Every structure is written in C-alpha cells, then in structure tokens.
Amino acid sequence: MVDGGLARYRWIQGLMVAAGVLYCSLLLELAAGRPLNIHTSMLSDLAALDQPTSLYARGMDLTSGILLVLAVVLARPAARLGRDVAALLISTALFGVGTMLSVFLPLDCAPSLSQACLDSEGSGRAGMALFLHATFSTVAGVGCVAMAVFVLLILRRTGWGGPVGRTAAVLAGAALVSQIWLTVAIGIQELKGDDAHQPGIIQRASVVLVCLMMATVAPGLKQALTPAESLQPVG
C-alpha cells in the first residue's frame, strides 16, 4: 500500500470513529444526569429547544453528520471497487446529510417532559416542525439501515475479513435488526395513538449499536477498501 493510500485510510478511520462517538447522544444523556425517562422518551428530546442540553445535542449531531460526509468524500476512490462499495458510500452520505438536516429543525419542547408540549405537536408551526424533523430523521434512518446492509454484503463478498471483519459484521447485523425493531415499535405506538410512551430503551440500544457499527466500519472493511490503488488520492 502506498503512503498516500494509507494516510487516506487512517483519516477515514479516524473520522468514522469520531462520528460514532459524537452520534452516541446516550453519552450526553448520562453526562446531563439522565434528565429523561429512558423508558418512554426519545433521545431527540435532548435537542429540544427548551432543554439545557439542546445546544450540545444538536452540536454533536451536526458534527457527526459533517464527519460522515467528509469520510465519504475521502473514500470516493473506493467506489471503483464495486457497486456495493459505492452503495455503502451513498448510504453513509445519506445518513450524514439526514442527521445534519434534522439539527436545523429541532423540537420546540420535549414531549416526554410536558403534556402541554405533547398536545401542541399536532397544530400549527409545532406540527410542521415535528413533521420536517421526523422526515429528516427518517432520511438518516434509511441511510443507516442501508449502510448496515451494504457492510454485510461487502464483508460477505470479501470473506468477512478475519476477527475484525466478523466483529464489524456482527455489529452491522445487530444495528440493522435494532433499527427494524425500533421502526416496528414506533409504528405500533402510532397505531395505538400513544405518543406519550415511546420505545426509549429500544432506541437507546439501537443508538449504541449504530455508534459501534460506525466506529468499526473502516477497520472491518480495511481488506476490502485498501487493496492496490483504492484509497490513493484521486487525480
């Protein structure tokens, strides 16, 4: 491997690990003294404008999204290795962009902490802000799910990449299952009309798994991404 390719890979790895740490808003929740009910609240409540954690939560998500996009830009040469690798880069970018956009439309208040806030969600500006926030969060979620799928496909094609690759595969699979489980749980709550009791434990478990997946993507796919010229500077 040439020095330029190795340096590029190390930057990508560092960016992905940092993005994973910053995306793990569970760390902020713990640092803030667990202000939310972990059983019935979503971590997005930390970013609500009426919460003291709002600036920190939004700053972490924004930075995480930026780092994901930067990692994709640096990894562009690897897209030549196959459609699955190119699809992984696209899904990672989608995840990052969706995460960034949701930062600019935070909730006005934390629904899990105020009945008045919960009642206001369906009307006027609050309802529109909630809809857009949910839309961008969905974009990020779709990108995350696709990212996990393509990590598994690449590892399957390249022979799983030893212990590190297998670890990445397990985490990607677990993140995928948790995201699907979370989507189903939220759907059930919506059908019940029970907005006051969200699947908080499931979401927090899913976030931890997604963060670990993000941090192990580059090491797990090193064998797939670094042969020959794949991580050399473009042009």
Side-chain angles (χ1 to χ4, degrees), residues 100-114:
M100 284 190 289
L101 290 177
S102 66
V103 167
F104 298 105
L105 283 166
L107 304 177
D108 287 333
C109 51
S112 66
L113 298 178
S114 168

Side-chain angles (χ1 to χ4, degrees), residues 1-2 5 8 77-78 80-81 225-234:
M1 185 189 305
V2 298
R8 182 181 288 256
R80 297 194 297 264
L81 294 178
L225 297 179
T226 57
E229 78 281 5
S230 62
L231 291 182
Q232 293 183 38
V234 178

Side-chain angles (χ1 to χ4, degrees), residues 15-16 18-24 58-70 95-96 99-100 214:
L15 289 170
M16 291 299 297
V21 172
L22 289 168
Y23 188 76
C24 197
R58 287 183 288 139
M60 288 171 67
D61 278 352
L62 179 61
T63 306
S64 180
I66 291 172
L67 293 179
L68 283 173
V69 173
L70 286 176
F95 184 15
T99 300
M100 284 190 289
M214 292 162 66

Side-chain angles (χ1 to χ4, degrees), residues 18-39:
V21 172
L22 289 168
Y23 188 76
C24 197
S25 50
L26 190 64
L27 297 175
L28 175 61
E29 183 178 42
L30 293 173
R34 291 176 57 185
L36 305 175
N37 183 325
I38 63 173
H39 298 280

Side-chain angles (χ1 to χ4, degrees), residues 203-218:
Q203 191 214 18
R204 285 161 176 78
S206 181
V207 166
V208 170
L209 289 170
V210 169
C211 292
L212 291 173
M213 177 186 73
M214 292 162 66
T216 57
V217 163

